[in-house]
Amino acid sequence: MRPSDYDDGTAPAGRDRDGTGPSAGGADATSVTSPRLGPVGWLRFGWRQLTSMRTALLLLLLLAIAAVPGSLVPQRSSDPNGVVQYFADNPDLAPVLDSFQMFDVYTSVWFSAIYLLLFVSLIGCIVPRTKHHAGALRARPPRTPARLSRLPAHTERDLDVASSEDRATAAEAAVARAAAELKRAGYRVERYDVRGAPSVSAERGYLRETGNLVFHTALVGVLVAVAVGGGFGFNGQRVIVEGQSFVNTLAAYDSFNPGRFFDDRRLTPYRLTLDGLDATYETENRDALGQPIDFTAHVTIDGPDGAAERDVKVNEPLYEYGTDVYLLGNGYAPTITVRDPEGDVVFTDSVPFLPQDANLTSIGVVKVPDGLDEQVGLVGFFYPTQSTLASGAYTSTYPDLVFPVLTLNVYEGDLGIDDGTPRSVFQLDTSGMEQLTGGQTGVDSIELMPGDSMELPGGLGSVEFESAAPDAPGDDFSESVPRFVSFDVHHDPSQGWVLVFALLILGGLLLSLFVPRRRMWVTATTRADGRTVLEYAGLARGDDPGLERAVEEFADAHAGPSAASERPAAAGDRPADPENPST
């Protein structure tokens, strides 16, 4: 039935579709081919692919996957000490991961590329859809279809009319009443005449697309807010021992990671003092003995508004003066004093020891650059509850102070700090030093309990493990060793905006999921037998399992239940056979 010159692209060159003769284009006519894309065409094609919703969803999923490594390995921005420890524990794997920027995931080239592509894709999706949606909001509801019975949701009701003269008036009144009821139900309505019959066209559910646009626009807002927060914020870490203070200045941080646009003059000056740390461990359940239950750091913050006492917990940070102070970790900081042969103090400090296991077996380093005949380094192991393994090695069997023991290995030589090269306070470079105790030296390591002291080998002097509670009974070590807390100080000026956009994302998502997009029509038609019938029909955009019920309920409310639903089923009634209407 197609015209003789129709060509669907399958006929040989110069032949008709049936292959029996020359095509209408002549002997030189060829089959249909797509036009060749030039540079502009390829750019337009690439832009359309990038700004498609499918690509945006793919990039969003890819961004979530790309963020996973940030939770698997320590990050320099939040846990620089963990990165150092990871390099020490995995000397072969760590450089490989570092070459792929796995320790700087959120500022890496590949993560930033996905981030920017998602940003561009979302904007490319939102702008044309917003323009189209704005036009749809101003447009009139579509005309009433001529055959409503072909729509997926359709029902009819007879309109009782006393006389033929009243038929047109009754039909007009019924349609007008339907328009008013639909308008009260939240529909936009428009009156039409279909082949002389009055009708009303109604639609609602544009909030669904509005919610969709709000969702994607707010997602862009989150991306912008995170970028702004990363550019103008900062992240710093500081270890504080009980009784010591930290002042919010750039030089006071142990590590500091500013944003690209951060200005240290914006730091609000305040002092944070660690008054104490309460640690609660499991003591009843033998299967979980020693598991931490709660950590509470008691601090005093003194700033422009005066001094105030606060508590900081693991999941309850301190919000003061534009910074969020998080409790990251804790451990013990034994107070170690080193004296020269004459008894003069050359070093004394509470040294943080880094925990190595759940029972807080910890390792720490003491460096004594001056005051002795040679530079001295001490590598110590601290055991809160010391126990001896079958191999003879020491370990800790409980994280609290029950039987604290400190062992020290002594090194003599060059600490490697005189040339100005920065060195980690938690590591001792022994390449230029001689080991004097422990290992294969044949000299036992120095072993101390709180309050004990011992001479250093070679007449270098002495070392003392001071007790923080010297007046406590001899078997009470609960307060003998001070603790330290690792704080993470975070400043993000975009936190409020991120919360606002997150709530908009949630609200837009709920609207797009639960608001149905529907169109409904009501028309009054006169049949050949003289009956006036009210037809009700509905159409949904997408899946809407409640559409048929909504049309039936509106018809019942407007014109009353249908006769079929009111008539009780007779004993001999059989269900109608859809294949044989006569039944």
Side-chain angles (χ1 to χ4, degrees), residues 67-155:
V68 171
S71 61
L72 299 180
V73 296
Q75 299 295 296
R76 288 191 175 94
S77 60
S78 59
D79 190 11
N81 294 329
V83 175
V84 173
Q85 189 63 41
Y86 195 93
F87 270 83
D89 297 339
N90 305 274
D92 297 328
L93 178 61
V96 177
L97 295 179
D98 197 23
S99 65
F100 289 99
Q101 299 179 295
M102 288 298 178
F103 300 106
D104 303 280
V105 168
Y106 306 112
T107 56
S108 63
V109 174
W110 46 272
F111 189 87
S112 300
I114 299 173
Y115 186 95
L116 293 175
L117 284 175
L118 176 60
F119 187 78
V120 173
S121 179
L122 285 174
I123 293 178
C125 292
I126 292 170
V127 172
R129 288 182 60 179
T130 302
K131 182 179 179 181
H132 180 270
H133 184 55
L137 289 175
R138 295 191 301 267
R140 298 170 60 192
R143 292 185 63 85
T144 305
R147 296 178 178 83
L148 293 180
S149 58
R150 294 184 176 182
L151 297 179
H154 176 262
T155 187

Side-chain angles (χ1 to χ4, degrees), residues 214-228:
V214 168
F215 171 82
H216 290 92
T217 304
L219 186 58
V220 174
V222 168
L223 296 177
V224 173
V226 170
V228 171

Side-chain angles (χ1 to χ4, degrees), residues 504-524:
L504 288 176
I505 286 176
L506 180 60
L509 183 62
L510 293 177
L511 286 176
S512 64
L513 289 178
F514 297 108
V515 174
R517 177 76 178 274
R518 289 174 179 168
R519 287 175 177 171
M520 193 173 292
W521 294 275
V522 180
T523 184

